[in-house]
Amino acid sequence: MSKMLHTVNKSPFEHSALETCLRYARQGSSVLLIEDAVYAAARDTAVAQAVQEALKRVQLYALAPDVEARGMQNRVLDGVRLVDYEGFVDLVVEHNAVQAWL
Amino acid sequence: MEEEAGAGGKVKKFLYVNRKAPYGTIYALESLEVVLIGAAFEQDVSLAFIGDGVYQLTKGQDTKALGVKNFSPAFRALDDYDVNKLYVDEASLRARGLSAEDLLVPVEVVSTERMAEIMEGQDVVLSF
């Protein structure tokens, strides 16, 4: 069974990319939040519940440099793993395919 | 130019409406640049932060690893240019789990109704 890495780079408050991605991401796949999508990894937001729901099925990652740039480093939801650029590369290597939800 | 404020011309009310998060796009930085230019012409400047625009003001922004300029400290310098009317939409803050304490600078947190009123009172509205 092939494992997929999904990447999302748009704010969940301005775009439907994350919502659509989570609708298609299958059990056991991974979702990496980058650029403005890292806001989806924050606690106590209007989308936090949907993200926590998704964590039951998929592993969520957020790119640390993007999280830190936006000042969200102390607000990341439990269960969302932070990765650096090397970790991003590792994820790409570990998965069979990458789907970028632009 | 007869419209120059410094030469006794009419001072206009400028509102800059910020609706984009920082770094993901260039809008936030460009807005700040234009705000500073407007302030240098001694106009009556106000800033509105709506939707993801409220993220421009969050504390703790650290762009070292990202490798781009952290422009958030510049918001603290706005007061030196007599730009001190910063309005932040309350509902936008709440939807993002934020409050005024999470922001870099003193702001006035306003309702949508009040923000609409502020918008109507302007001569020029610039959107970013």
Side-chain angles (χ1 to χ4, degrees), chain A residues 2-6 26 28-31 95-100:
Chain A
S2 70
K3 270 199 311 172
M4 195 139 196
L5 174 66
H6 301 269
R26 303 183 74 185
S29 60
S30 301
V31 176
H95 291 77
N96 294 77
V98 179
Q99 180 162 5

Side-chain angles (χ1 to χ4, degrees), chain A residues 11-14 35-36 39 42-47 65-66 68-73 75 85, chain B residues 19 21-25 51-52 55 58-63 65-66 94-98 102:
Chain A
S11 163
F13 305 105
E14 306 281 322
E35 299 172 30
D36 284 345
Y39 289 120
R43 287 188 300 269
D44 303 326
T45 75
V47 300
D66 283 328
E68 291 159 8
R70 291 162 179 79
M72 294 292 116
Q73 55 273 38
R75 317 180 74 92
Y85 291 114
Chain B
R19 294 180 45 246
Y23 312 115
T25 65
D52 275 359
Y55 281 136
T58 52
K59 285 177 184 164
Q61 297 178 36
D62 177 358
T63 60
L66 189 58
R94 201 175 333 108
R96 289 159 183 78
L98 300 171
D102 298 309

Side-chain angles (χ1 to χ4, degrees), chain B residues 22-45:
Chain B
Y23 312 115
T25 65
I26 199 71
Y27 287 94
L29 175 58
E30 291 289 314
S31 172
L32 191 54
E33 303 263 8
V34 177
V35 165
L36 292 170
I37 292 166
F41 283 92
E42 293 173 29
Q43 300 298 309
D44 181 349
V45 174

